[in-house]
Amino acid sequence: AQTVTQSQPEMSVQEAETVTLSCTYDTSESNYYLFWYKQPPSRQMILVIRQEAYKQQNATENRFSVNFQKAAKSFSLKISDSQLGDTAMYFCAFMGNAGNMLTFGGGTRLMVKP
Amino acid sequence: ETGVTQSPTHLIKTRGQQVTLRCSSQSGHNTVSWYQQALGQGPQFIFQYYREEENGRGNFPPRFSGLQFPNYSSELNVNALELDDSALYLCASSLAGLAAQETQYFGPGTRLLVL
């Protein structure tokens, strides 16, 4: 079974600065996808970014980028130019070969301070 | 384009009762997955429905059951409610199928409280 670990329960960052959230995972599969989701206080889980394991290039979406280290099974999220609206819980998630389920980490609560 | 919707937003039930939660998938999506998120934790996969059939199940007892309708909407039913069933229930839809790894898009969730 796959496991996803987020070792930082809480983090804070000043507005306009850069922050990196960590995620490690364990799997024996070779073909998988990794995701970062954001869950603000409104509760709705919002997709931030997605990475296909077969792609060597790190995914980027505007201010959000990942550092995908396949051999180390590490998938960190970098948020540049942090904004107050980035305050939320961030979840790292894994989708394996079956393609039918997401395995989530425990989450990191990010607070962006003015 | 219509996103994923869920009803109701909040629900209070008594231990031993039964509950039905509803989900409408995003337009164009044919697959629905359900997750349980306990307070302060990440979501846990309950099951997925594709073409009205269950397509994978997590570690949840049989009293958790579901349906998918021809219009791809879905229901989650929980029988014999227990206090530990209190959680946020999330529905996610995707344009997927058997063994297709597609992004899942989430609804706003239903908060269930069991007293």
Side-chain angles (χ1 to χ4, degrees):
Chain A
Q2 291 81 13
T3 59
V4 179
T5 302
Q6 295 179 246
S7 59
Q8 306 150 314
E10 293 188 4
M11 294 191 71
S12 64
V13 63
Q14 291 296 130
E15 196 175 6
E17 294 189 344
T18 295
V19 64
T20 298
L21 309 183
S22 300
C23 172
T24 58
Y25 59 94
D26 189 22
T27 184
S28 58
E29 298 183 19
S30 58
N31 179 29
Y32 53 88
Y33 284 45
L34 295 163
F35 303 83
W36 279 97
Y37 282 91
K38 166 185 176 181
Q39 189 176 41
S42 66
R43 312 182 317 205
Q44 183 146 10
M45 199 77 74
I46 302 166
L47 176 69
V48 175
I49 201 164
R50 151 183 156 145
Q51 174 79 44
E52 294 86 346
Y54 63 84
K55 289 186 177 179
Q56 293 188 344
Q57 186 173 7
N58 289 323
T60 298
E61 287 288 343
N62 301 314
R63 299 183 293 108
F64 299 88
S65 61
V66 299
N67 183 5
F68 174 47
Q69 301 289 329
K70 190 172 184 178
K73 296 180 181 176
S74 170
F75 182 60
S76 61
L77 174 70
K78 186 172 82 171
I79 306 174
S80 303
D81 186 25
S82 296
Q83 300 176 0
L84 297 178
D86 295 334
T87 292
M89 283 291 292
Y90 286 81
F91 291 96
C92 176
F94 173 99
M95 179 182 284
N97 287 333
N100 59 358
M101 63 176 282
L102 288 165
T103 300
F104 285 86
T108 295
R109 183 178 304 278
L110 176 67
M111 173 75 73
V112 180
K113 298 179 178 180
Chain B
E1 184 179 270
T2 306
V4 180
T5 60
Q6 293 186 243
S7 63
T9 56
H10 295 84
L11 202 53
I12 300 175
K13 289 287 188 179
T14 303
R15 190 172 50 183
Q17 287 188 314
Q18 179 265 343
V19 69
T20 298
L21 310 182
R22 295 177 175 83
C23 171
S24 292
S25 59
Q26 183 169 315
S27 59
H29 285 183
N30 59 6
T31 302
V32 173
S33 305
W34 286 92
Y35 293 83
Q36 181 195 66
Q37 186 178 17
L39 198 61
Q41 298 182 22
Q44 298 287 318
F45 176 71
I46 303 175
F47 43 56
Q48 183 184 78
Y49 278 82
Y50 169 64
R51 290 188 175 178
E52 303 178 51
E53 297 280 338
E54 189 178 285
N55 177 36
R57 186 180 186 93
N59 189 26
F60 281 82
R63 58 189 186 84
F64 285 78
S65 63
L67 285 172
Q68 186 181 31
F69 301 98
N71 66 354
Y72 306 126
S73 66
S74 177
E75 287 183 354
L76 164 66
N77 298 290
V78 187
N79 293 321
L81 283 167
E82 301 177 359
L83 297 179
D84 285 348
D85 295 333
S86 295
L88 179 67
Y89 288 85
L90 295 167
C91 166
S93 75
S94 55
L95 179 57
L98 295 174
Q101 294 164 311
E102 295 296 331
T103 299
Q104 296 184 5
Y105 295 90
F106 285 82
T110 294
R111 173 76 66 190
L112 172 65
L113 177 61
V114 182
L115 302 176

